[in-house]
Structures are given as C-alpha cells and as structure tokens.
Amino acid sequence: MRTKLFIFAAVAFAVTGRVGAGSLELQPKETAPPTITQSEPWQFTIAAPGWLAGLDGTIGVRGVNADINIGFDQILQHLDMIFAARAEAQKGPFGIYGELIYIGLSDGAQINGLINNVHEQVDQTLVDGALSWRLINQPRGSLEFAAGMHYTNVYERLTLNGDVVAIHQASEQFVTNISDDLRDPP
C-alpha cells in the first residue's frame, strides 16, 4: 500500500507541478521600443498660373465717356507686362500660401479735334495670402480651413494730348467772335 501511495503522490506531484510550472514560470522581461512618430516633411510648390484677362468698362473725364471693350483674344496687343506666381508650403495638416498677379495694359488712339492723342493705361495687382489647416484628409478629397487676406489695386491713367495748332486757331476764333459780338450787339 505504501507503494501505491507513493506512486499516487508522485503522479499527483507531477501533474500539479506541471500545471503550476506553467503559471509560475517567469518570462524574460522584454519592453517594446517606443514607437517613433515620423514627422511629415515640408512640401513646397511654386507655380506660374495661367490667366486670361479682358477689359470691359467706361472711362471718361467730366462727363465725356469712352467705352472700352477688349476681350482676352485681343489683350496681347495691349499687354505691357504680366506676372503671375503662386508659392505654397505644407507640413502635415498645416499650410501657408501666397499668390501675386500683376497685369499692365495700355493703348492709344489718334482723334481729330482739339485733342489729337488719347493714351490709356491700366495696371491691376492682386495679392492673396493665407494660413490653412486640413480638417479632413481622405483619398477621395480633403477639406481645409483657410484664413488670410486679399488685396486688389486697380490703377488707371488717361492722358489727353492737345493739338496745339487747333487749340490756337479755336482760341483766336473764340476771341474774334466775342469781339464781333461786343462791337455789333444783336
């Protein structure tokens, strides 16, 4: 009976020892290295956007008006200078951009009368700048909030050149007519 008790105790110890060994066995401590968050690099974009311009409006002096209508198909004949540039920088959801557009146009005309030469000059400047923050970024599209400024300046100059000979003749005729009227009242 002692043998049976000894075998039973040995089997019981082996079973419990094995069960206990699994739960008591210490694993070597391994710590996972900290995750390194990679910073997104700056992305820069520089562009020269295309722009089609036209001029349509009225210009005049003291009630004498001239209508101006130059479509974008004729604008190159009157173009003095054009400059358009856009720069953008973005890092992650943050962005900043600026844009400058300048166009200078001029034209002249010969006319008959006391004024024989008319010259028109128009310069337009557009400046945009903003900071942006991307709110939604999905493969199909994104949504950004932007806050910034927009500046527009339009400069116009109308130059009238007189016909000196015609002005002199008209002033002499005016003085003659006044003198005649003063001598011979109606």
Side-chain angles (χ1 to χ4, degrees):
M1 173 103 163
R2 259 186 202 238
T3 332
K4 285 184 183 181
L5 187 57
F6 180 74
I7 293 175
F8 177 75
V11 170
F13 181 78
V15 170
T16 39
R18 180 178 255 188
V19 171
S23 63
L24 293 177
E25 187 177 312
L26 297 176
Q27 301 280 337
K29 247 188 178 179
E30 290 184 25
T31 57
T35 58
I36 299 173
T37 56
Q38 293 186 0
S39 175
E40 293 184 36
W42 280 96
Q43 295 177 353
F44 296 95
T45 305
I46 297 176
W51 194 49
L52 298 175
L55 186 64
D56 184 20
T58 303
I59 189 168
V61 176
R62 297 186 184 240
V64 179
N65 296 326
D67 292 325
I68 299 172
N69 186 3
I70 302 171
F72 68 87
D73 58 334
Q74 302 168 346
I75 207 78
L76 292 177
Q77 301 168 18
H78 307 284
L79 187 65
D80 294 333
M81 182 181 163
I82 188 168
F83 178 79
R86 178 180 172 91
E88 185 174 347
Q90 191 155 7
K91 181 172 182 165
F94 173 74
I96 183 171
Y97 78 89
E99 185 169 18
L100 170 68
I101 298 174
Y102 170 80
I103 185 166
L105 303 168
S106 65
D107 194 13
Q110 295 292 121
I111 56 175
N112 294 325
L114 298 178
I115 298 173
N116 69 353
N117 186 336
V118 177
H119 181 77
E120 165 66 13
Q121 176 184 349
V122 177
D123 297 328
Q124 184 176 14
T125 306
L126 304 167
V127 180
D128 281 326
L131 299 173
S132 66
W133 188 263
R134 189 177 312 121
L135 300 172
I136 299 172
N137 189 17
Q138 298 294 324
R140 298 181 108 188
S142 63
L143 175 66
E144 293 185 8
F145 173 76
M149 67 91 184
H150 177 80
Y151 170 77
T152 301
N153 182 32
V154 178
Y155 170 81
E156 291 188 71
R157 181 177 182 179
L158 179 64
T159 306
L160 306 173
N161 296 316
D163 184 352
V164 178
V165 173
I167 291 173
H168 182 67
Q169 290 172 350
S171 63
E172 281 183 352
Q173 185 63 42
F174 178 73
V175 171
T176 303
N177 290 344
I178 295 295
S179 298
D180 292 343
D181 286 346
L182 289 175
R183 269 188 250 133
D184 303 323

